[in-house]
Structure formats: structure tokens, C-alpha cells
Amino acid sequence: MTTLFISDLHLEAGRPEIGVQFLDFLSGEARDADTLYILGDLFEVWLGDDDPNPYYAGMKAAIRELVDSGIPVFFMHGNRDFMIGDEFATDTGVTILQDPELIDLHGEKVLLSHGDALCTDDVEYQRFRAMTRNPEWQAMMLAKTIQERIAHALEARQGSVEHGKSLDDEITDVNQGAVEALIRKHGVDILLHGHTHRPAIHEVRLGDRTATRIVLGDWFEQGSVVRWNADGPRLEEMPR
Ligand code: MN
């Protein structure tokens, strides 16, 4: 049996080809999977579970169908959809994971993460992350109307775009020290994450041993998936 991992689809009505591929994936390959893990940034933006966005309602219904077909689906928050909450979980049937989450896969200890917490060189982003993951900040945001939240999200996005432009690639990638510390802390051999949109398999030297860091890609031009069976993990592209 194969366990599937995806992340960084950034679903939104304005990029319908991504949604079409995702729906094909859910009704096709995922039906034969053991389990599906979605490691964050499934949605481009999530204003709250009370958002009546019909495009997102369609995606939720498709996830529900997969869960109802008997395939467990796990979801971890990304930096775009961190406001996904209990109502989404109830509606879709997904189980929401903490970041990081340790799982056992074919006898191997694997640490799952979205990956944004590893980008510690970007101090301004980490400050934003700490603020927006605070339950009090989230409650304050959810008390606003959807229109107010849209306005706020647009403003934050503009700030993020300008901020991103001023940073070089080194700063927006993961920090090697943060990667090593996380792997050591959890005593794992494999770390699997997304977020950076730099799909690759890296060796991580830890003194006398070597761990592996697998990075999922985004879905902007094609799909990206890790297929993991008894033979181990395969990081693969899914052409459209
Ligand atoms: Mn991300």
C-alpha cells in the first residue's frame, strides 16, 4: 500500500487548472492509497471556516468523498491556510495534525512539517508567524466580517509580496541549523516538508549519521507528490 504526501497546491478559483488536477487526484490515485497527508498550503488563503467561498466548498466536498470512501486524510496547516479549524475538519472528515508531527511509516520514524517554521533566517516572517498562530489573534480575526478579513488578507499579502522581493533566495529557504536541530530533537532519520517550493531530496549530515530531508514541490506548473510504499519514498512530479 502507498501513502501519499502533497503540499503547496495553493488552490484558488483564479487558477482552476490546479483544482482540476487535485480533483482528478482525489478521485483517482488517492482512492487506491493507504492514507493521504496534505502538508499545508492546500488553499491560497483561508479566511475562516465560515467563508462561503463556493470554489472552496467544492474542494471540501471532494475531500469528504475521499474520506467517505475509506481513505484517511490528514491535514497540517501551512502559512496560507493556518486558519483552517474544527468546522473544516468536521465537514471534510480530515484529521488536523500539529506541526511537526511524528509518524511511523513501514518501521521508519518520519517527521512531517509544513516547513515555514524552519525558515528562521527570515526574522520578520517568524514574527508574523508567531502572531498569527496565537489563538487570541485568530479569535480577534474571526470576530471580523468576511469582507473585513478579505481586506486584511489583501493588505497582508501586499506586505508579504514586497517583503519577499527584498529577500534573497538564501533567506527564504530553510535554515540548515534549524533543520539539524529539529531532526536531532525528534531523533528521526527522515524529515518531510513543503513550503519552499524547492522539490528535492537532501542528505543532512549529523555528526556520525546522515538523515534525509525530502521537500515537496508546489502545484503551479504540475503536481508534486511523495509516494511511499514498502520500498521507501519516491518524490515525483505529476504532469498535467
Ligand atoms: Mn507555505
Side-chain angles (χ1 to χ4, degrees):
M1 288 293 264
T2 303
T3 302
L4 299 172
F5 300 86
I6 58 174
S7 71
D8 302 283
L9 286 78
H10 294 263
L11 292 172
E12 62 173 337
R15 283 194 288 242
E17 67 282 3
I18 301 175
V20 169
Q21 186 172 15
F22 180 55
L23 295 178
D24 281 350
F25 177 78
L26 291 181
S27 62
E29 175 175 8
R31 292 292 177 111
D32 298 320
D34 189 38
T35 308
L36 170 63
Y37 287 89
I38 303 170
L39 299 184
D41 288 356
L42 173 61
F43 299 101
E44 175 69 6
V45 62
W46 194 263
L47 299 167
D49 292 352
D50 54 344
D51 183 357
N53 183 329
Y55 186 70
Y56 285 172
M59 296 298 152
K60 280 171 62 178
I63 296 169
R64 177 86 238 179
E65 277 183 39
L66 179 65
V67 171
D68 286 347
S69 79
I71 313 299
V73 178
F74 294 91
F75 173 82
M76 182 179 286
H77 293 120
N79 53 300
R80 299 303 191 107
D81 47 18
F82 58 85
M83 294 282 276
I84 280 181
D86 292 343
E87 198 180 319
F88 176 90
T90 304
D91 289 350
T92 58
V94 307
T95 301
I96 296 181
L97 302 175
Q98 295 304 303
D99 184 354
E101 180 86 20
L102 183 65
I103 63 166
D104 191 295
L105 213 52
H106 304 284
E108 207 138 25
K109 280 186 346 177
V110 182
L111 193 66
L112 308 176
S113 179
H114 177 58
D116 57 323
L118 295 167
C119 300
T120 54
D121 294 332
D122 190 347
V123 175
E124 191 177 323
Y125 171 69
Q126 293 303 328
R127 211 174 288 138
F128 171 82
R129 186 178 194 276
M131 176 182 77
T132 55
R133 299 303 179 94
N134 183 320
E136 283 174 25
W137 184 91
Q138 294 196 1
M140 177 272 291
M141 196 51 68
L142 290 171
K144 295 179 187 292
T145 66
I146 291 288
Q147 284 311 317
E148 286 170 332
R149 278 178 256 165
I150 290 171
H152 187 276
L154 285 174
E155 208 173 288
R157 176 81 54 79
Q158 198 52 41
S160 154
V161 167
E162 275 159 25
H163 174 60
K165 262 190 243 154
S166 70
L167 297 170
D168 60 34
D169 284 358
E170 288 284 298
I171 292 182
T172 54
D173 202 353
V174 297
N175 173 285
Q176 193 60 26
V179 167
E180 291 168 14
L182 187 68
I183 291 173
R184 279 209 175 88
K185 181 180 172 190
H186 294 274
V188 293
D189 294 315
I190 301 185
L191 169 64
L192 171 55
H193 69 84
H195 178 66
T196 61
H197 302 199
R198 292 171 170 88
I201 299 179
H202 301 274
E203 278 194 356
V204 183
R205 297 251 170 89
L206 298 162
D208 56 349
R209 73 179 183 103
T210 303
T212 303
R213 178 169 71 94
I214 305 174
V215 188
L216 285 159
D218 63 67
W219 282 45
F220 290 133
E221 304 297 330
Q222 68 273 305
S224 178
V225 64
V226 165
R227 299 181 172 110
W228 201 315
N229 61 21
D231 295 330
R234 282 170 296 137
L235 171 65
E236 288 168 335
E237 288 182 351
M238 294 186 288
R240 280 209 266 278

